[in-house]
Amino acid sequence: MQPLKIFNVIPKLPEGLEELWKLAYNFRFTWCGHTDNVFKQIDQQLWATTSHNPLLFLQQVDPQRLKTVASDPFFQSQLKITVDTLKEYFEERPSPIIEEASPENPVVAYFSFEFGIASCMPIYSGGLGILAGDHLKSASDLNIPLVGVGLLYKHGYYHQYLTPDGWQQESYPDLDFNQIPILPMEDENGKQIQIAIPLGRRKLRAQIWKAQVGRITLLLMDTEMAENRPEHRAITASLYGGDKEMRLWQEILLGIGGMKVLEVCGYHPKVIHMNEGHSAFAGVERIRSYMQKGLSFESASEIVASSSIFTTHTPVPAGNDRFSPELMEKYFREYARDLGLAFKVFLSFGRENPFDDQEEFCMTVLALKLSRFNNGVSKLHKHVSRKMWKSLWPLYPHDDIPISALTNGIHAPTWTADDMREVYDRYLGTNWREDPDCKTIWSRAANISDAELWRTHERLRARLVDFARHRLRKQLQAYGARKQDIQNADEILNPQALTIGFARRFATYKRANLIMREKDRLLRLFKDVDRPIQFVFAGKAHPADSEGKKYIKEVVSTCRSLDYRFHMVFLEDYDIDIAKYMLGGCDIWLNTPRRPYEACGTSGMKAIFNGVLTFSTLDGWWDEAFIPDNSIGWAIGKGEEYSDPDYQDYVELRTLFNVLEFEIIPEFYDRGRGGLPRQWIHRMKKALTTLGPEFNSHRMVMDYVRKAYKPAYDNYNNLARYDFQPARELAEWRNDIMTKWGGIDLRNANIEIMDETFVGESIRISVDVKLNGIPCDSISTEAYFGQVQQNGEFASRNIRKLTPIGDTDPEGWQHFEGKVSPTKPGRFGYTIRIIPTNPLLIDPRSLGLIRWAVPQETS
Ligand SMILES: *Cc1c(COP(=O)(O)O)cnc(C)c1O
């Protein structure tokens, strides 16, 4: 029988405890130790079994217990401190770099397909989501006027469990939004705000929820509404579920719906940050909205691109969504008309080759074209991305492709284990939590007592071992293992042994099963009873990735076999909670990606803040963090790239085992006075002092603010002045340049040198340019000058602008001159290029126009 109506009964909190609601409805509990403690003090067990979900906790806690703590003066004082801290948190930080803004009036909207904020809101699958969560947390701490936009998936990302033979199974939780600390976003009449957008011929509705992450509001859309067709209700059913069309719907909802959400909620951000290409339709929708204010497509595009930021995350081609022209047509034919574009022209915004009618529409391409600040997520990834997308800027050399690097970071207070936080509070001062990007603070790590650091670390390792045993027992029970095996679970792992952790998505390029390719050698290490080592694994494979699942099966069956099972364990259902246990308690954080597929990787950064040392191939962040003297961790190889994967496995596996056996293990067991591994502890501290200030999300968010948000905000204001007049002018100018550019010509390119010249000597360069009616100040004529490699390519280059000399002659030729001087000895070369320039133009490369001198134009 169906109930007539379903409603929620909310527990009544005893007098004096009402403030608990306030604590529960702010995700700051994920990084504020006080709040965590308050819930722990009420009922530690329940806090754990509710997976640190404060709302579920308050719904389930025994009322009697609440009465007891309500009358406990100690608890009351703890609660007061916690509530006051939250209040102070909101007041404390002087406001942002961007004036006129506040959290209620955000300047930046941050779009992401996933957000990993707390394990009780499982709307993340891995690094991308965790990064987005950490971005919001740091933006909150730093008081950056930012609002988040995302989707609220009814079934979240899946729970993983394994069959007895280790094959991954997925089960989808049914999230009750009344049991997650989020609230409906309501209008002034108390009604939940909704949006409606066209989806093909239908109307798609979504209702809006609000998650409070410290100061930051995160707006989440949910389509499970009676008014929607059943298949549309499923749009927010699960993260990365469904087919291509479903993905397209989700991305339409995120981008186009997301812009609508901001509008109906009264937010008017001037800057849009697209975290990965999923949200790139936001750019198109913004263009449409400016066109409704009377701007042309071109002027609207100038505004939108100049104030958009796009972060690309994946060097794996399959990670970049592409949709067939037919599918696009179903949903964007009308839309293109609204934009005043032929459908084919619309499609060209998502194509590498605008003239290829077969090419699919790629979200990454769209994002790159609609944003003037594009970045990869590590220095290495910048180069990889430039190579990947160079076809969008065919006339530009690698160094000039407009994709920069802004390396990821992690939210230090979230990812530092409780016990370690306390050590830092004492030795570094509590402001490491607010200012983790400050070098001076981390330099104090040198003063931490070796014994205390080590004891804390060992306690965390013991806790991980306990946790692993407990989890393993539950896993074994769940699939009806033999009693003996379940009992054995209490004896796996050794709280004193060197513990190596590997936990991440089981994408095949990460090679989770690498060490299992050398079982003999592994067994030999396991047999050394004086210097025991052990491994803890965790990770999910994408539901459709059967190769990834095979890797899991291989790892799991090894872990379960007789010779290995006391030394190796696989923990099911990797999530934020498991990550915290592992990153607290391991000694070594192992990573084996095939370079260069790891765009950045962030779990190793979390490890640093817990004194866990990285051991990894030189890929992603580790390629820029690693110091070759091994003083902060170890590398596998020297950053080689291989064309034969089997050979690569062979070489890197040998290196891995050699470093492990001859460097890592001996040093871990090199115990001096007090049983302390001094050298090891020294590395822990050095990693903290060197990498701590760098690889945290405060540094990352501040980098975004300085390099991207603030300039984008200024760009917007600049172009939007006088009712968008500059934007209109810029669009006209662009049109003019585009039509005349082809007629530009060069002659008499000349450099005044002999075959040899001295360092520091200044050399005159000159050229004549036929302007073809383009005003002289609309172009920049530049000497492109630098050292040349054996193959004739530039190894480095300097750009020197040449100055127009005299008047343009009657035929339209203009003479340009300038000087360069080589600062180093070596083989040098020069060439000349012309690019368009305009003070309103953020980046001349966006026109795709460039004219290089060719040999016959020299004199
Ligand atoms: C940090 C984290 C990740 C990302 O780790 P990588 O090293 O980037 O692979 C994935 N999942 C969870 C639960 C995490 O905490």
Side-chain angles (χ1 to χ4, degrees):
M1 199 185 329
Q2 290 276 318
L4 287 175
K5 187 170 170 59
I6 297 176
F7 52 95
N8 289 298
V9 181
I10 301 165
K12 193 163 158 31
L13 296 182
E15 207 173 314
L17 296 190
E18 297 88 349
E19 300 275 30
L20 284 173
W21 289 124
K22 221 180 258 170
L23 298 180
Y25 277 106
N26 194 318
F27 280 97
R28 202 171 103 90
F29 71 83
T30 58
W31 75 98
C32 165
H34 287 301
T35 317
D36 197 61
N37 265 332
V38 162
F39 291 110
K40 253 192 215 153
Q41 279 176 39
I42 300 176
D43 186 340
Q44 181 154 12
Q45 180 104 35
L46 185 65
W47 184 232
T49 52
T50 54
S51 302
H52 308 154
N53 175 345
L55 195 58
L56 198 58
F57 178 90
L58 290 179
Q59 290 170 0
Q60 293 184 359
V61 66
D62 178 3
Q64 208 49 51
R65 177 70 194 144
L66 283 180
K67 278 208 189 102
T68 314
V69 294
S71 58
D72 173 358
F74 177 72
F75 179 83
Q76 282 289 0
S77 74
Q78 290 294 303
L79 180 60
K80 184 163 182 327
I81 291 173
T82 308
V83 173
D84 289 348
T85 322
L86 185 64
K87 223 177 274 159
E88 272 163 35
Y89 176 80
F90 279 105
E91 288 159 7
E92 215 164 64
R93 193 117 189 167
S95 196
I97 324 71
I98 297 168
E99 68 304 338
E100 91 164 74
S102 64
E104 299 79 47
N105 181 21
V107 158
V108 182
Y110 181 88
F111 283 70
S112 181
F113 215 44
E114 32 176 311
F115 283 96
I117 294 163
S119 56
C120 66
M121 188 161 70
I123 56 170
Y124 64 93
S125 79
L128 180 71
I130 304 279
L131 178 82
D134 285 359
H135 196 103
L136 299 192
K137 290 174 184 177
S138 278
S140 168
D141 291 342
L142 292 161
N143 203 359
I144 306 300
L146 181 142
V147 57
V149 181
L151 305 181
L152 185 61
Y153 304 95
K154 178 75 183 159
H155 305 295
Y157 197 55
Y158 70 91
H159 282 308
Q160 173 196 55
Y161 64 100
L162 302 172
T163 61
D165 64 351
W167 193 252
Q168 169 178 299
Q169 304 288 308
E170 296 101 28
S171 78
Y172 287 84
D174 199 1
L175 299 181
D176 180 347
F177 299 154
N178 294 303
Q179 292 182 342
I180 301 178
I182 55 175
L183 288 167
M185 186 80 182
E186 293 174 345
D187 63 16
E188 58 276 19
N189 304 320
K191 237 184 121 240
Q192 186 167 17
I193 298 182
Q194 301 184 358
I195 56 154
I197 56 167
L199 187 66
R201 296 214 184 81
R202 310 257 169 212
K203 194 173 247 183
L204 172 67
R205 287 168 204 282
Q207 51 196 2
I208 306 166
W209 300 80
K210 167 176 144 161
Q212 200 59 41
V213 185
R215 295 182 170 93
I216 302 290
T217 300
L218 168 60
L219 301 167
L220 296 166
M221 291 171 267
D222 148 36
T223 58
E224 197 176 85
M225 298 169 66
E227 296 91 329
N228 280 333
R229 295 170 65 80
E231 67 270 29
H232 291 169
R233 272 175 232 159
I235 291 178
T236 53
S238 64
L239 177 56
Y240 304 125
D243 58 8
K244 276 264 151 141
E245 190 155 10
M246 176 57 82
R247 180 68 63 85
L248 180 60
W249 289 352
Q250 290 182 324
E251 297 186 354
I252 290 173
L253 179 64
L254 179 60
I256 297 177
M259 286 309 301
K260 196 92 192 176
V261 166
L262 290 168
E263 186 193 320
V264 298
C265 294
Y267 294 112
H268 304 285
K270 293 178 172 174
V271 174
I272 298 289
H273 186 169
M274 300 175 273
N275 186 43
E276 194 54 304
H278 305 117
S279 56
F281 292 133
V284 188
E285 178 64 8
R286 271 183 96 197
I287 294 178
R288 206 176 68 102
S289 72
Y290 288 120
M291 288 176 72
Q292 283 171 347
K293 294 185 180 152
L295 292 178
S296 66
F297 177 82
E298 290 75 14
S299 354
S301 312
E302 289 296 345
I303 297 207
V304 168
S306 306
S307 57
S308 297
I309 284 97
F310 168 54
T311 304
T312 177
H313 286 267
T314 172
V316 182
N320 295 276
D321 284 325
R322 290 173 195 269
F323 302 109
S324 73
E326 296 73 36
L327 189 59
M328 287 300 293
E329 186 163 9
K330 261 170 91 175
Y331 300 99
F332 285 95
R333 182 161 274 285
E334 289 291 314
Y335 202 98
R337 198 171 306 149
D338 281 0
L339 297 174
L341 300 179
F343 183 62
K344 206 177 136 162
V345 176
F346 178 83
L347 285 185
S348 72
F349 281 90
R351 282 177 168 156
E352 292 180 52
N353 175 0
F355 304 106
D356 177 357
D357 286 343
Q358 304 302 312
E359 189 181 324
E360 293 195 306
F361 186 94
C362 175
M363 296 300 281
T364 309
V365 174
L366 179 66
L368 287 167
K369 289 190 181 180
L370 290 186
S371 144
R372 298 275 190 273
F373 184 93
N374 303 305
N375 71 290
V377 287
S378 68
K379 292 191 172 121
L380 180 61
H381 182 230
K382 168 184 85 176
H383 291 295
V384 178
S385 304
R386 285 179 177 178
K387 278 191 201 137
M388 242 174 124
W389 304 109
K390 64 172 186 244
S391 68
L392 298 181
W393 295 273
L395 300 171
Y396 282 88
H398 180 90
D399 284 345
D400 292 330
I401 302 272
I403 299 178
S404 55
L406 208 158
T407 305
N408 287 341
I410 59 101
H411 189 251
T414 295
W415 292 105
T416 306
D418 284 354
D419 303 52
M420 216 40 111
R421 286 178 186 169
E422 283 160 24
V423 174
Y424 298 163
D425 284 349
R426 255 175 294 126
Y427 286 91
L428 316 180
T430 52
N431 53 351
W432 72 270
R433 296 168 186 250
E434 283 91 52
D435 300 303
D437 50 347
C438 170
K439 282 202 172 73
T440 326
I441 291 179
W442 293 108
S443 70
R444 295 184 203 128
N447 307 335
I448 301 176
S449 129
D450 283 1
E452 194 170 345
L453 186 64
W454 191 247
R455 267 201 312 275
T456 308
H457 175 64
E458 295 221 288
R459 201 158 57 235
L460 289 164
R461 189 190 316 110
R463 210 168 290 155
L464 168 64
V465 168
D466 259 359
F467 174 78
R469 289 174 178 171
H470 173 74
R471 277 293 181 114
L472 184 64
R473 199 160 52 236
K474 279 196 1 198
Q475 286 170 208
L476 292 167
Q477 276 161 353
Y479 72 79
R482 290 182 314 157
K483 211 165 162 198
Q484 185 58 46
D485 288 337
I486 297 174
Q487 275 168 6
N488 280 344
D490 289 336
E491 283 157 38
I492 58 142
L493 305 184
N494 167 353
Q496 267 93 46
L498 170 65
T499 305
I500 301 168
F502 185 104
R504 46 185 57 84
R505 286 181 306 114
F506 267 56
T508 48
Y509 76 83
K510 300 196 186 219
R511 293 187 291 178
N513 58 351
L514 189 62
I515 56 158
M516 285 154 220
R517 297 278 154 87
E518 271 277 16
K519 293 228 173 80
D520 292 345
R521 200 152 174 199
L522 198 55
L523 272 182
R524 198 149 53 72
L525 294 179
F526 286 163
K527 290 211 172 99
D528 185 344
V529 287
D530 296 327
R531 301 189 305 178
I533 67 164
Q534 58 196 11
F535 289 84
V536 182
F537 289 92
K540 296 174 176 179
H542 186 284
D545 178 11
S546 53
E547 278 308 302
K549 289 184 182 181
K550 276 188 205 152
Y551 279 35
I552 293 187
K553 186 165 187 281
E554 189 180 347
V555 171
V556 171
S557 56
T558 310
C559 291
R560 284 181 185 167
S561 61
L562 205 55
D563 289 333
Y564 299 85
R565 70 175 173 210
F566 292 102
H567 302 275
M568 281 172 104
V569 57
F570 182 92
L571 303 177
E572 286 175 18
D573 205 22
Y574 184 46
D575 67 356
I576 291 178
D577 283 346
I578 294 187
K580 284 190 173 174
Y581 274 105
M582 289 182 66
L583 287 155
C586 288
D587 299 289
I588 289 285
W589 197 248
L590 178 66
N591 198 8
T592 48
R594 278 186 208 285
R595 181 176 158 126
Y597 289 108
E598 183 95 314
C600 179
T602 51
S603 56
M605 303 176 188
K606 300 168 192 165
I608 300 167
F609 292 91
N610 293 290
V612 177
L613 299 175
T614 289
F615 179 30
S616 169
T617 46
L618 291 179
D619 197 6
W621 80 286
W622 194 233
D623 185 58
E624 77 193 62
F626 175 67
I627 305 178
D629 65 2
N630 294 341
S631 59
I632 53 167
W634 292 270
I636 302 167
K638 295 194 171 67
E640 299 86 352
E641 283 171 27
Y642 297 83
S643 49
D644 177 352
D646 290 328
Y647 181 66
Q648 177 176 18
D649 287 356
Y650 170 79
V651 175
E652 295 188 339
L653 191 52
R654 280 184 44 159
T655 316
L656 189 161
F657 272 108
N658 286 341
V659 176
L660 184 60
E661 183 169 353
F662 303 120
E663 295 182 43
I664 296 179
I665 298 178
E667 187 173 300
F668 182 82
Y669 287 105
D670 178 13
R671 302 299 166 96
R673 253 183 324 118
L676 298 177
R678 298 276 177 186
Q679 186 59 31
W680 190 282
I681 295 170
H682 186 72
R683 281 182 215 276
M684 288 163 73
K685 292 187 190 173
K686 176 139 187 227
L688 206 52
T689 50
T690 5
L691 307 181
E694 196 55 37
F695 295 97
N696 65 79
S697 51
H698 278 47
R699 190 273 308 146
M700 171 183 76
V701 168
M702 281 314 293
D703 275 353
Y704 275 110
V705 169
R706 289 194 203 101
K707 297 180 185 164
Y709 296 166
K710 180 71 165 75
Y713 172 76
D714 291 340
N715 295 343
Y716 179 91
N717 286 337
N718 207 13
L719 292 174
R721 280 172 305 159
Y722 318 120
D723 194 24
F724 301 105
Q725 195 47 38
R728 290 178 225 264
E729 275 167 28
L730 185 57
E732 267 170 41
W733 173 85
R734 172 192 280 258
N735 243 340
D736 188 49
I737 297 286
M738 293 298 258
T739 42
K740 292 178 181 157
W741 191 261
I744 286 187
D745 213 349
L746 287 176
R747 71 180 181 201
N748 302 336
N750 185 34
I751 183 160
E752 278 180 3
I753 40 159
M754 310 298 138
D755 283 342
E756 280 175 13
T757 190
F758 291 101
V759 172
E761 208 170 310
S762 94
I763 313 168
R764 202 165 68 98
I765 291 181
S766 60
V767 69
D768 294 339
V769 179
K770 184 165 188 181
L771 296 173
N772 195 36
I774 296 175
C776 196
D777 60 0
S778 285
I779 61 165
S780 174
T781 303
E782 299 168 346
Y784 194 93
F785 175 84
Q787 280 183 306
V788 173
Q789 300 164 345
Q790 280 305 327
N791 65 6
E793 301 264 336
F794 282 100
S796 63
R797 86 283 193 273
N798 295 293
I799 292 166
R800 182 62 41 85
K801 202 171 160 170
L802 305 180
T803 353
I805 305 285
D807 294 331
T808 313
D809 79 6
E811 283 168 55
W813 290 92
Q814 172 68 49
H815 185 69
F816 286 86
E817 265 185 39
K819 285 193 175 125
V820 295
S821 60
T823 50
K824 289 183 214 148
R827 260 159 64 87
F828 275 78
Y830 95 105
T831 184
I832 288 173
R833 71 173 192 185
I834 302 175
I835 53 172
T837 176
N838 182 317
L840 291 170
L841 190 66
I842 307 318
D843 188 337
R845 293 169 289 193
S846 65
L847 277 77
L849 302 176
I850 190 164
R851 175 70 159 80
W852 293 95
V854 288
Q856 43 297 12
E857 290 162 350
T858 52
S859 56

